Amino acid sequence: MFKKKGMFKLGMLLTASSLMLAACGTSESDTKVSTSGDAGEGEKITKIVAGTEATFAPFEYMNDKGEVVGLDVDILNAMTEELGIEYEIRNVGWEPVFQQVQNGELDFGASGITITEERKETFDFTEPYHEATQVLVVKEDSSVTSAEDVKGKKVSVQINSTGHVAAKDLLGETNPDIMAYENLPIAIQEVINGTAEAAIGDNAVVFEYLKNNPDAKLKVIEDDAFAKEYYAFMVKKGNKEVLDILNEGLQKIKDSGKLAEITGQELE
Ligand code: ARG
């Protein structure tokens, strides 16, 4: 939940805190300032809380100090610096990002999340900050040369990712050849093990994996059959307050050239 600074009337403060106490059954002082919509005019958000799944280098991963680092973190650092607010990023896991943004435990998702029509039914997205696409990753000696070639073969993906959707499009919605795992590195490991013929995942992340695992004997297959995708930050549908502030921050770092510097990509 985000925090705000502003002129609370005592009554409002009491109402807000008793509501929070009722809702959460906790008297923890850190999270009770406000939730979406219960703050008055002129109050400013001072802190926002993001959720991520940090096995997704170069966008988010854990360094050896146990901190979440990566391009998404660099982007958030630059945005919040421009905005003069604080943020926190929690490594909660992939599916929990969606659940916790929806139930208000998190203000937003920052996890290399692709804008999709299906997700838009439940969430709102900021302007995009990165372009991506799906690729196949197979063993160096695999006979697979295109997306079509994986039909009839076992394919591993990160569950409920756009790679998972791509696999369903190729093989059929309920095809048991599709094996879905908690994160992309596990899905790729199944190719190394020989359990799956191919994994499908986001291009930059797959290339980074190969770079970091030069002995894995894998190769990447790109195919125009995979559509372009755009990453954005994701809020609960209707959470205009957080959406606006994120878009403001993004716009600032687009204008200053900082975003392109971080991602190495020009997005118009
Ligand atoms: N871009 C893909 C999607 O939105 C995969 C994102 C996975 N992100 C992660 N941090 N594991 O479905």
PDB file of all heavy atoms in Angstrom, residues 119-150:
ATOM      1  N   ARG A 119      -5.130  -9.382 -19.588  1.00  0.00           N
ATOM      2  CA  ARG A 119      -4.764  -8.743 -18.312  1.00  0.00           C
ATOM      3  C   ARG A 119      -5.473  -7.410 -18.139  1.00  0.00           C
ATOM      4  O   ARG A 119      -5.775  -7.005 -17.013  1.00  0.00           O
ATOM      5  CB  ARG A 119      -3.243  -8.563 -18.231  1.00  0.00           C
ATOM      6  CG  ARG A 119      -2.516  -9.883 -18.070  1.00  0.00           C
ATOM      7  CD  ARG A 119      -1.010  -9.743 -18.158  1.00  0.00           C
ATOM      8  NE  ARG A 119      -0.366 -11.054 -18.067  1.00  0.00           N
ATOM      9  CZ  ARG A 119       0.878 -11.300 -18.429  1.00  0.00           C
ATOM     10  NH1 ARG A 119       1.650 -10.324 -18.895  1.00  0.00           N
ATOM     11  NH2 ARG A 119       1.366 -12.520 -18.323  1.00  0.00           N
ATOM     12  N   LYS A 120      -5.744  -6.744 -19.260  1.00  0.00           N
ATOM     13  CA  LYS A 120      -6.401  -5.428 -19.168  1.00  0.00           C
ATOM     14  C   LYS A 120      -7.825  -5.524 -18.610  1.00  0.00           C
ATOM     15  O   LYS A 120      -8.392  -4.518 -18.208  1.00  0.00           O
ATOM     16  CB  LYS A 120      -6.460  -4.785 -20.554  1.00  0.00           C
ATOM     17  CG  LYS A 120      -5.208  -4.036 -20.947  1.00  0.00           C
ATOM     18  CD  LYS A 120      -5.559  -3.282 -22.201  1.00  0.00           C
ATOM     19  CE  LYS A 120      -4.426  -2.638 -22.899  1.00  0.00           C
ATOM     20  NZ  LYS A 120      -4.823  -2.252 -24.278  1.00  0.00           N
ATOM     21  N   GLU A 121      -8.374  -6.729 -18.588  1.00  0.00           N
ATOM     22  CA  GLU A 121      -9.700  -6.866 -17.982  1.00  0.00           C
ATOM     23  C   GLU A 121      -9.636  -6.653 -16.470  1.00  0.00           C
ATOM     24  O   GLU A 121     -10.595  -6.225 -15.854  1.00  0.00           O
ATOM     25  CB  GLU A 121     -10.279  -8.256 -18.289  1.00  0.00           C
ATOM     26  CG  GLU A 121     -10.700  -8.389 -19.736  1.00  0.00           C
ATOM     27  CD  GLU A 121     -11.037  -9.822 -20.124  1.00  0.00           C
ATOM     28  OE1 GLU A 121     -11.293 -10.661 -19.228  1.00  0.00           O
ATOM     29  OE2 GLU A 121     -11.035 -10.099 -21.336  1.00  0.00           O
ATOM     30  N   THR A 122      -8.493  -6.937 -15.881  1.00  0.00           N
ATOM     31  CA  THR A 122      -8.355  -6.867 -14.418  1.00  0.00           C
ATOM     32  C   THR A 122      -7.379  -5.793 -13.954  1.00  0.00           C
ATOM     33  O   THR A 122      -7.397  -5.401 -12.791  1.00  0.00           O
ATOM     34  CB  THR A 122      -7.848  -8.230 -13.873  1.00  0.00           C
ATOM     35  OG1 THR A 122      -8.350  -9.285 -14.694  1.00  0.00           O
ATOM     36  CG2 THR A 122      -8.295  -8.454 -12.452  1.00  0.00           C
ATOM     37  N   PHE A 123      -6.522  -5.347 -14.857  1.00  0.00           N
ATOM     38  CA  PHE A 123      -5.459  -4.425 -14.465  1.00  0.00           C
ATOM     39  C   PHE A 123      -5.384  -3.253 -15.443  1.00  0.00           C
ATOM     40  O   PHE A 123      -5.844  -3.354 -16.572  1.00  0.00           O
ATOM     41  CB  PHE A 123      -4.104  -5.150 -14.462  1.00  0.00           C
ATOM     42  CG  PHE A 123      -4.056  -6.318 -13.515  1.00  0.00           C
ATOM     43  CD1 PHE A 123      -4.273  -7.615 -13.969  1.00  0.00           C
ATOM     44  CD2 PHE A 123      -3.808  -6.125 -12.163  1.00  0.00           C
ATOM     45  CE1 PHE A 123      -4.246  -8.698 -13.091  1.00  0.00           C
ATOM     46  CE2 PHE A 123      -3.779  -7.201 -11.281  1.00  0.00           C
ATOM     47  CZ  PHE A 123      -4.005  -8.488 -11.747  1.00  0.00           C
ATOM     48  N   ASP A 124      -4.773  -2.180 -14.978  1.00  0.00           N
ATOM     49  CA  ASP A 124      -4.427  -1.085 -15.887  1.00  0.00           C
ATOM     50  C   ASP A 124      -2.916  -1.047 -16.024  1.00  0.00           C
ATOM     51  O   ASP A 124      -2.188  -1.364 -15.071  1.00  0.00           O
ATOM     52  CB  ASP A 124      -4.918   0.258 -15.337  1.00  0.00           C
ATOM     53  CG  ASP A 124      -6.440   0.394 -15.452  1.00  0.00           C
ATOM     54  OD1 ASP A 124      -7.026  -0.226 -16.361  1.00  0.00           O
ATOM     55  OD2 ASP A 124      -7.021   1.108 -14.618  1.00  0.00           O
ATOM     56  N   PHE A 125      -2.470  -0.637 -17.200  1.00  0.00           N
ATOM     57  CA  PHE A 125      -1.039  -0.584 -17.488  1.00  0.00           C
ATOM     58  C   PHE A 125      -0.597   0.852 -17.747  1.00  0.00           C
ATOM     59  O   PHE A 125      -1.340   1.638 -18.327  1.00  0.00           O
ATOM     60  CB  PHE A 125      -0.708  -1.432 -18.717  1.00  0.00           C
ATOM     61  CG  PHE A 125      -0.818  -2.914 -18.456  1.00  0.00           C
ATOM     62  CD1 PHE A 125      -2.007  -3.590 -18.661  1.00  0.00           C
ATOM     63  CD2 PHE A 125       0.278  -3.617 -17.989  1.00  0.00           C
ATOM     64  CE1 PHE A 125      -2.113  -4.949 -18.403  1.00  0.00           C
ATOM     65  CE2 PHE A 125       0.191  -4.976 -17.731  1.00  0.00           C
ATOM     66  CZ  PHE A 125      -1.006  -5.651 -17.938  1.00  0.00           C
ATOM     67  N   THR A 126       0.652   1.125 -17.364  1.00  0.00           N
ATOM     68  CA  THR A 126       1.255   2.408 -17.723  1.00  0.00           C
ATOM     69  C   THR A 126       1.559   2.396 -19.218  1.00  0.00           C
ATOM     70  O   THR A 126       1.346   1.390 -19.899  1.00  0.00           O
ATOM     71  CB  THR A 126       2.595   2.631 -16.984  1.00  0.00           C
ATOM     72  OG1 THR A 126       3.509   1.575 -17.359  1.00  0.00           O
ATOM     73  CG2 THR A 126       2.408   2.646 -15.482  1.00  0.00           C
ATOM     74  N   GLU A 127       2.112   3.499 -19.682  1.00  0.00           N
ATOM     75  CA  GLU A 127       2.672   3.521 -21.034  1.00  0.00           C
ATOM     76  C   GLU A 127       3.790   2.468 -21.080  1.00  0.00           C
ATOM     77  O   GLU A 127       4.408   2.175 -20.053  1.00  0.00           O
ATOM     78  CB  GLU A 127       3.268   4.901 -21.327  1.00  0.00           C
ATOM     79  CG  GLU A 127       2.221   6.002 -21.443  1.00  0.00           C
ATOM     80  CD  GLU A 127       1.233   5.731 -22.561  1.00  0.00           C
ATOM     81  OE1 GLU A 127       1.674   5.398 -23.673  1.00  0.00           O
ATOM     82  OE2 GLU A 127       0.010   5.838 -22.306  1.00  0.00           O
ATOM     83  N   PRO A 128       4.050   1.893 -22.256  1.00  0.00           N
ATOM     84  CA  PRO A 128       5.110   0.877 -22.324  1.00  0.00           C
ATOM     85  C   PRO A 128       6.504   1.462 -22.099  1.00  0.00           C
ATOM     86  O   PRO A 128       6.737   2.639 -22.357  1.00  0.00           O
ATOM     87  CB  PRO A 128       4.989   0.342 -23.752  1.00  0.00           C
ATOM     88  CG  PRO A 128       4.230   1.356 -24.510  1.00  0.00           C
ATOM     89  CD  PRO A 128       3.377   2.115 -23.539  1.00  0.00           C
ATOM     90  N   TYR A 129       7.413   0.612 -21.596  1.00  0.00           N
ATOM     91  CA  TYR A 129       8.796   1.066 -21.446  1.00  0.00           C
ATOM     92  C   TYR A 129       9.795   0.171 -22.152  1.00  0.00           C
ATOM     93  O   TYR A 129      10.983   0.478 -22.188  1.00  0.00           O
ATOM     94  CB  TYR A 129       9.169   1.239 -19.966  1.00  0.00           C
ATOM     95  CG  TYR A 129       9.123  -0.032 -19.129  1.00  0.00           C
ATOM     96  CD1 TYR A 129      10.183  -0.932 -19.114  1.00  0.00           C
ATOM     97  CD2 TYR A 129       8.003  -0.316 -18.341  1.00  0.00           C
ATOM     98  CE1 TYR A 129      10.141  -2.085 -18.342  1.00  0.00           C
ATOM     99  CE2 TYR A 129       7.948  -1.477 -17.560  1.00  0.00           C
ATOM    100  CZ  TYR A 129       9.023  -2.357 -17.571  1.00  0.00           C
ATOM    101  OH  TYR A 129       8.984  -3.502 -16.800  1.00  0.00           O
ATOM    102  N   HIS A 130       9.306  -0.950 -22.728  1.00  0.00           N
ATOM    103  CA  HIS A 130      10.263  -1.841 -23.411  1.00  0.00           C
ATOM    104  C   HIS A 130       9.536  -2.721 -24.398  1.00  0.00           C
ATOM    105  O   HIS A 130       8.406  -3.139 -24.145  1.00  0.00           O
ATOM    106  CB  HIS A 130      10.974  -2.732 -22.376  1.00  0.00           C
ATOM    107  CG  HIS A 130      12.149  -3.476 -22.938  1.00  0.00           C
ATOM    108  ND1 HIS A 130      13.349  -2.867 -23.227  1.00  0.00           N
ATOM    109  CD2 HIS A 130      12.308  -4.774 -23.281  1.00  0.00           C
ATOM    110  CE1 HIS A 130      14.190  -3.767 -23.705  1.00  0.00           C
ATOM    111  NE2 HIS A 130      13.581  -4.928 -23.764  1.00  0.00           N
ATOM    112  N   GLU A 131      10.181  -2.984 -25.527  1.00  0.00           N
ATOM    113  CA  GLU A 131       9.603  -3.895 -26.519  1.00  0.00           C
ATOM    114  C   GLU A 131      10.297  -5.255 -26.418  1.00  0.00           C
ATOM    115  O   GLU A 131      11.515  -5.315 -26.259  1.00  0.00           O
ATOM    116  CB  GLU A 131       9.800  -3.330 -27.922  1.00  0.00           C
ATOM    117  CG  GLU A 131       9.103  -4.151 -28.990  1.00  0.00           C
ATOM    118  CD  GLU A 131       9.428  -3.649 -30.393  1.00  0.00           C
ATOM    119  OE1 GLU A 131       9.090  -2.497 -30.719  1.00  0.00           O
ATOM    120  OE2 GLU A 131      10.056  -4.423 -31.143  1.00  0.00           O
ATOM    121  N   ALA A 132       9.517  -6.310 -26.526  1.00  0.00           N
ATOM    122  CA  ALA A 132      10.079  -7.661 -26.420  1.00  0.00           C
ATOM    123  C   ALA A 132       9.345  -8.592 -27.371  1.00  0.00           C
ATOM    124  O   ALA A 132       8.393  -8.181 -28.047  1.00  0.00           O
ATOM    125  CB  ALA A 132       9.945  -8.165 -24.981  1.00  0.00           C
ATOM    126  N   THR A 133       9.783  -9.833 -27.419  1.00  0.00           N
ATOM    127  CA  THR A 133       9.038 -10.858 -28.146  1.00  0.00           C
ATOM    128  C   THR A 133       9.426 -12.209 -27.553  1.00  0.00           C
ATOM    129  O   THR A 133      10.376 -12.298 -26.777  1.00  0.00           O
ATOM    130  CB  THR A 133       9.326 -10.798 -29.666  1.00  0.00           C
ATOM    131  OG1 THR A 133       8.409 -11.672 -30.336  1.00  0.00           O
ATOM    132  CG2 THR A 133      10.741 -11.249 -29.987  1.00  0.00           C
ATOM    133  N   GLN A 134       8.684 -13.235 -27.902  1.00  0.00           N
ATOM    134  CA  GLN A 134       9.036 -14.566 -27.428  1.00  0.00           C
ATOM    135  C   GLN A 134      10.069 -15.185 -28.374  1.00  0.00           C
ATOM    136  O   GLN A 134      10.092 -14.883 -29.571  1.00  0.00           O
ATOM    137  CB  GLN A 134       7.789 -15.464 -27.380  1.00  0.00           C
ATOM    138  CG  GLN A 134       6.726 -14.969 -26.423  1.00  0.00           C
ATOM    139  CD  GLN A 134       7.233 -14.871 -25.001  1.00  0.00           C
ATOM    140  OE1 GLN A 134       7.743 -15.829 -24.438  1.00  0.00           O
ATOM    141  NE2 GLN A 134       7.097 -13.689 -24.406  1.00  0.00           N
ATOM    142  N   VAL A 135      10.916 -16.063 -27.816  1.00  0.00           N
ATOM    143  CA  VAL A 135      11.835 -16.863 -28.636  1.00  0.00           C
ATOM    144  C   VAL A 135      11.792 -18.297 -28.111  1.00  0.00           C
ATOM    145  O   VAL A 135      11.323 -18.546 -26.992  1.00  0.00           O
ATOM    146  CB  VAL A 135      13.295 -16.333 -28.572  1.00  0.00           C
ATOM    147  CG1 VAL A 135      13.413 -14.952 -29.181  1.00  0.00           C
ATOM    148  CG2 VAL A 135      13.839 -16.349 -27.146  1.00  0.00           C
ATOM    149  N   LEU A 136      12.312 -19.197 -28.935  1.00  0.00           N
ATOM    150  CA  LEU A 136      12.448 -20.589 -28.505  1.00  0.00           C
ATOM    151  C   LEU A 136      13.881 -20.797 -28.046  1.00  0.00           C
ATOM    152  O   LEU A 136      14.807 -20.220 -28.625  1.00  0.00           O
ATOM    153  CB  LEU A 136      12.221 -21.532 -29.680  1.00  0.00           C
ATOM    154  CG  LEU A 136      10.836 -21.586 -30.305  1.00  0.00           C
ATOM    155  CD1 LEU A 136      10.909 -22.320 -31.635  1.00  0.00           C
ATOM    156  CD2 LEU A 136       9.866 -22.294 -29.365  1.00  0.00           C
ATOM    157  N   VAL A 137      14.040 -21.637 -27.038  1.00  0.00           N
ATOM    158  CA  VAL A 137      15.390 -22.043 -26.672  1.00  0.00           C
ATOM    159  C   VAL A 137      15.412 -23.574 -26.671  1.00  0.00           C
ATOM    160  O   VAL A 137      14.539 -24.223 -26.095  1.00  0.00           O
ATOM    161  CB  VAL A 137      15.865 -21.381 -25.348  1.00  0.00           C
ATOM    162  CG1 VAL A 137      14.885 -21.585 -24.224  1.00  0.00           C
ATOM    163  CG2 VAL A 137      17.241 -21.873 -24.946  1.00  0.00           C
ATOM    164  N   VAL A 138      16.380 -24.112 -27.403  1.00  0.00           N
ATOM    165  CA  VAL A 138      16.485 -25.565 -27.595  1.00  0.00           C
ATOM    166  C   VAL A 138      17.951 -25.976 -27.403  1.00  0.00           C
ATOM    167  O   VAL A 138      18.842 -25.118 -27.360  1.00  0.00           O
ATOM    168  CB  VAL A 138      16.032 -25.988 -29.023  1.00  0.00           C
ATOM    169  CG1 VAL A 138      14.549 -25.710 -29.226  1.00  0.00           C
ATOM    170  CG2 VAL A 138      16.868 -25.309 -30.099  1.00  0.00           C
ATOM    171  N   LYS A 139      18.192 -27.275 -27.317  1.00  0.00           N
ATOM    172  CA  LYS A 139      19.572 -27.752 -27.249  1.00  0.00           C
ATOM    173  C   LYS A 139      20.275 -27.440 -28.554  1.00  0.00           C
ATOM    174  O   LYS A 139      19.655 -27.436 -29.617  1.00  0.00           O
ATOM    175  CB  LYS A 139      19.587 -29.263 -27.017  1.00  0.00           C
ATOM    176  CG  LYS A 139      19.387 -29.630 -25.572  1.00  0.00           C
ATOM    177  CD  LYS A 139      19.664 -31.112 -25.363  1.00  0.00           C
ATOM    178  CE  LYS A 139      19.578 -31.437 -23.892  1.00  0.00           C
ATOM    179  NZ  LYS A 139      19.393 -32.872 -23.655  1.00  0.00           N
ATOM    180  N   GLU A 140      21.579 -27.226 -28.459  1.00  0.00           N
ATOM    181  CA  GLU A 140      22.381 -26.892 -29.632  1.00  0.00           C
ATOM    182  C   GLU A 140      22.167 -27.864 -30.788  1.00  0.00           C
ATOM    183  O   GLU A 140      22.145 -27.470 -31.952  1.00  0.00           O
ATOM    184  CB  GLU A 140      23.867 -26.911 -29.249  1.00  0.00           C
ATOM    185  CG  GLU A 140      24.482 -25.541 -29.202  1.00  0.00           C
ATOM    186  CD  GLU A 140      25.802 -25.555 -28.437  1.00  0.00           C
ATOM    187  OE1 GLU A 140      26.535 -26.579 -28.487  1.00  0.00           O
ATOM    188  OE2 GLU A 140      26.073 -24.538 -27.790  1.00  0.00           O
ATOM    189  N   ASP A 141      21.980 -29.161 -30.450  1.00  0.00           N
ATOM    190  CA  ASP A 141      21.862 -30.172 -31.512  1.00  0.00           C
ATOM    191  C   ASP A 141      20.402 -30.502 -31.857  1.00  0.00           C
ATOM    192  O   ASP A 141      20.129 -31.484 -32.538  1.00  0.00           O
ATOM    193  CB  ASP A 141      22.608 -31.442 -31.105  1.00  0.00           C
ATOM    194  CG  ASP A 141      22.079 -32.015 -29.790  1.00  0.00           C
ATOM    195  OD1 ASP A 141      21.072 -31.483 -29.264  1.00  0.00           O
ATOM    196  OD2 ASP A 141      22.672 -32.982 -29.282  1.00  0.00           O
ATOM    197  N   SER A 142      19.465 -29.652 -31.396  1.00  0.00           N
ATOM    198  CA  SER A 142      18.042 -29.921 -31.679  1.00  0.00           C
ATOM    199  C   SER A 142      17.748 -29.736 -33.160  1.00  0.00           C
ATOM    200  O   SER A 142      18.361 -28.898 -33.838  1.00  0.00           O
ATOM    201  CB  SER A 142      17.173 -28.966 -30.866  1.00  0.00           C
ATOM    202  OG  SER A 142      15.834 -29.030 -31.307  1.00  0.00           O
ATOM    203  N   SER A 143      16.770 -30.506 -33.656  1.00  0.00           N
ATOM    204  CA  SER A 143      16.379 -30.378 -35.064  1.00  0.00           C
ATOM    205  C   SER A 143      15.346 -29.271 -35.259  1.00  0.00           C
ATOM    206  O   SER A 143      14.974 -28.955 -36.388  1.00  0.00           O
ATOM    207  CB  SER A 143      15.799 -31.709 -35.553  1.00  0.00           C
ATOM    208  OG  SER A 143      14.659 -32.009 -34.768  1.00  0.00           O
ATOM    209  N   VAL A 144      14.881 -28.684 -34.140  1.00  0.00           N
ATOM    210  CA  VAL A 144      13.861 -27.622 -34.233  1.00  0.00           C
ATOM    211  C   VAL A 144      14.480 -26.364 -34.852  1.00  0.00           C
ATOM    212  O   VAL A 144      15.527 -25.901 -34.409  1.00  0.00           O
ATOM    213  CB  VAL A 144      13.299 -27.299 -32.829  1.00  0.00           C
ATOM    214  CG1 VAL A 144      12.454 -26.037 -32.856  1.00  0.00           C
ATOM    215  CG2 VAL A 144      12.495 -28.475 -32.291  1.00  0.00           C
ATOM    216  N   THR A 145      13.822 -25.831 -35.890  1.00  0.00           N
ATOM    217  CA  THR A 145      14.343 -24.595 -36.493  1.00  0.00           C
ATOM    218  C   THR A 145      13.307 -23.478 -36.528  1.00  0.00           C
ATOM    219  O   THR A 145      13.612 -22.357 -36.912  1.00  0.00           O
ATOM    220  CB  THR A 145      14.826 -24.830 -37.947  1.00  0.00           C
ATOM    221  OG1 THR A 145      13.709 -25.326 -38.704  1.00  0.00           O
ATOM    222  CG2 THR A 145      15.965 -25.839 -38.021  1.00  0.00           C
ATOM    223  N   SER A 146      12.054 -23.797 -36.162  1.00  0.00           N
ATOM    224  CA  SER A 146      11.008 -22.768 -36.193  1.00  0.00           C
ATOM    225  C   SER A 146       9.946 -23.099 -35.152  1.00  0.00           C
ATOM    226  O   SER A 146       9.927 -24.221 -34.598  1.00  0.00           O
ATOM    227  CB  SER A 146      10.346 -22.741 -37.565  1.00  0.00           C
ATOM    228  OG  SER A 146       9.552 -23.914 -37.718  1.00  0.00           O
ATOM    229  N   ALA A 147       9.051 -22.156 -34.929  1.00  0.00           N
ATOM    230  CA  ALA A 147       7.964 -22.363 -33.963  1.00  0.00           C
ATOM    231  C   ALA A 147       7.099 -23.564 -34.380  1.00  0.00           C
ATOM    232  O   ALA A 147       6.721 -24.390 -33.539  1.00  0.00           O
ATOM    233  CB  ALA A 147       7.123 -21.094 -33.850  1.00  0.00           C
ATOM    234  N   GLU A 148       6.835 -23.671 -35.661  1.00  0.00           N
ATOM    235  CA  GLU A 148       6.031 -24.794 -36.184  1.00  0.00           C
ATOM    236  C   GLU A 148       6.597 -26.152 -35.765  1.00  0.00           C
ATOM    237  O   GLU A 148       5.856 -27.096 -35.499  1.00  0.00           O
ATOM    238  CB  GLU A 148       6.014 -24.733 -37.727  1.00  0.00           C
ATOM    239  CG  GLU A 148       4.984 -23.783 -38.307  1.00  0.00           C
ATOM    240  CD  GLU A 148       3.554 -24.201 -37.982  1.00  0.00           C
ATOM    241  OE1 GLU A 148       3.206 -25.362 -38.259  1.00  0.00           O
ATOM    242  OE2 GLU A 148       2.808 -23.364 -37.431  1.00  0.00           O
ATOM    243  N   ASP A 149       7.933 -26.220 -35.728  1.00  0.00           N
ATOM    244  CA  ASP A 149       8.606 -27.497 -35.456  1.00  0.00           C
ATOM    245  C   ASP A 149       8.334 -28.054 -34.057  1.00  0.00           C
ATOM    246  O   ASP A 149       8.606 -29.223 -33.806  1.00  0.00           O
ATOM    247  CB  ASP A 149      10.133 -27.344 -35.605  1.00  0.00           C
ATOM    248  CG  ASP A 149      10.553 -27.246 -37.057  1.00  0.00           C
ATOM    249  OD1 ASP A 149       9.706 -27.495 -37.934  1.00  0.00           O
ATOM    250  OD2 ASP A 149      11.733 -26.913 -37.298  1.00  0.00           O
ATOM    251  N   VAL A 150       7.853 -27.221 -33.133  1.00  0.00           N
ATOM    252  CA  VAL A 150       7.650 -27.757 -31.776  1.00  0.00           C
ATOM    253  C   VAL A 150       6.305 -28.476 -31.633  1.00  0.00           C
ATOM    254  O   VAL A 150       6.039 -29.103 -30.611  1.00  0.00           O
ATOM    255  CB  VAL A 150       7.788 -26.679 -30.661  1.00  0.00           C
ATOM    256  CG1 VAL A 150       9.151 -26.019 -30.722  1.00  0.00           C
ATOM    257  CG2 VAL A 150       6.663 -25.661 -30.733  1.00  0.00           C
TER     258      VAL A 150
END
